[in-house]
Amino acid sequence: SRAGVPWLPVAAAVLLTAAAAYFLRPKEPKPLAHVAIPIPEDIYLSNFGAAISPDGKHIAFSAKRKGRLMLWLRDVDSPTLRVVDGSEETQMAFWSPDNRSIGLFANGWLKRYDLATGAMQSIARVPSGRGGAWASNGAIVFNSNLSSSLYVVPEGGGPAQPFTHLDAARGDMRHILPQALPDGKHILFFLGSTDPKRSGAYLTTFDNPRKVEPIPELLGLQSQAIYAKGYLIYHRDKSVFAQPFDLSATKLTGAPRSIAHREAIASSY
């Protein structure tokens, strides 16, 4: 059998979720679109998935070829794959809000890659990052390891500062997989708790990052929720759902819509 195939369902789940979210429009509903991205036989996707640029035109993902884990890029409207030189051991890629740069974790560093110049810059020491979010205010929020809270660092580099903190009373084990929301104020992330009923999707703000609030309907999730085009996309009960989300009120509205059946998805544990 093909080595590396067990990684494929995880990456496929991420691609399915992102693609479905991209084609959903809050004001102009369109038919659900399922997008398949063919991968050559000698490339093996990593279990840290893929990231679609904010404009929906580009995909960045980590994959192995000949035993080397690298960052790969692909335009949605082109079959051509290209590898990024100097991106060995890349994991957990994420995009800048202007689509011009990619944040990534590699060899103990948080780095940024500039698409126009090809420059790779080290931003901060990070032992084993589990997700980053590049906000419109120029801050990068990230997790440093599987047992940490979130940290923040300027996009140009500098000392990383604590952002959230683990609350022992709530049973916090980790804050991971942050996403910067388009209002420029909020960070959506997954909180893993010793109490599974308290795990799930949480929000915090740049103004008061120590204040962490759950999205009540999404407590008990085992994987992160993703914001896209006025919806939160999440996995529950063997299905992927899209549910309208009022960003100004930071509340779910309307009924969830099942957009795909999926027996399992990558756990955020």
Side-chain angles (χ1 to χ4, degrees):
S1 63
R2 182 183 173 195
V5 167
W7 294 356
L8 292 177
V10 178
V14 176
L15 285 172
L16 174 64
T17 300
Y22 176 70
F23 286 103
L24 285 168
R25 295 291 191 274
K27 294 183 179 180
E28 299 178 11
K30 294 183 178 181
L32 179 64
H34 295 265
V35 178
I37 306 296
I39 301 295
E41 287 293 321
D42 63 340
I43 293 179
Y44 306 101
L45 294 175
S46 89
N47 55 349
F48 290 109
I52 294 182
S53 60
D55 62 8
K57 296 180 179 179
H58 314 286
I59 301 173
F61 60 94
S62 301
K64 278 189 176 182
R65 173 179 268 177
K66 298 180 179 179
R68 299 175 66 206
L69 181 62
M70 306 284 287
L71 177 67
W72 293 77
L73 302 175
R74 183 190 190 276
D75 296 337
V76 171
D77 60 359
S78 169
T80 303
L81 292 173
R82 55 194 187 277
V83 67
V84 174
D85 293 335
S87 64
E88 288 82 1
E89 301 305 317
T90 288
Q91 298 178 354
M92 307 294 290
F94 56 97
W95 288 85
S96 65
D98 63 5
N99 309 287
R100 296 177 180 178
S101 300
I102 298 171
L104 56 97
F105 300 93
N107 297 311
W109 284 90
L110 167 62
K111 301 182 178 184
R112 62 177 291 177
Y113 171 72
D114 184 84
L115 275 72
T117 67
M120 185 77 74
Q121 177 187 354
S122 296
I123 300 296
R125 277 282 188 185
V126 179
S128 182
R130 289 296 183 269
W134 200 321
S136 58
N137 63 4
I140 295 177
V141 177
F142 65 94
N143 164 278
S144 65
N145 62 68
L146 199 54
S147 301
S148 86
S149 60
L150 298 177
Y151 290 79
V152 64
V153 66
E155 62 185 5
Q161 302 293 332
F163 192 64
T164 60
H165 76 288
L166 299 181
D167 185 343
R170 191 171 47 217
D172 293 12
M173 296 188 295
R174 60 187 61 92
H175 298 169
I176 60 175
L177 303 169
Q179 181 185 6
L181 298 187
D183 64 355
K185 301 176 182 179
H186 289 88
I187 295 290
L188 173 69
F189 67 96
F190 179 85
L191 185 150
S193 171
T194 54
D195 180 356
K197 294 180 180 179
R198 290 187 170 185
S199 295
Y202 282 70
L203 290 165
T204 190
T205 65
F206 282 101
D207 290 339
N208 187 9
R210 293 182 68 85
K211 183 180 180 182
V212 169
E213 299 285 351
I215 298 175
E217 299 90 338
L218 300 187
L219 290 176
L221 294 184
Q222 299 300 302
S223 58
Q224 78 275 30
I226 300 170
Y227 176 86
K229 305 293 183 181
Y231 289 80
L232 286 184
I233 314 296
Y234 57 92
H235 178 263
R236 174 175 275 163
D237 299 329
K238 300 182 180 181
S239 290
V240 178
F241 292 93
Q243 188 166 355
F245 183 73
D246 184 336
L247 185 55
S248 61
T250 61
K251 292 182 180 180
L252 285 166
T253 61
R257 172 189 176 191
S258 177
I259 59 174
H261 176 77
R262 192 149 193 93
E263 290 290 331
I265 201 167
S267 170
S268 294
Y269 279 86

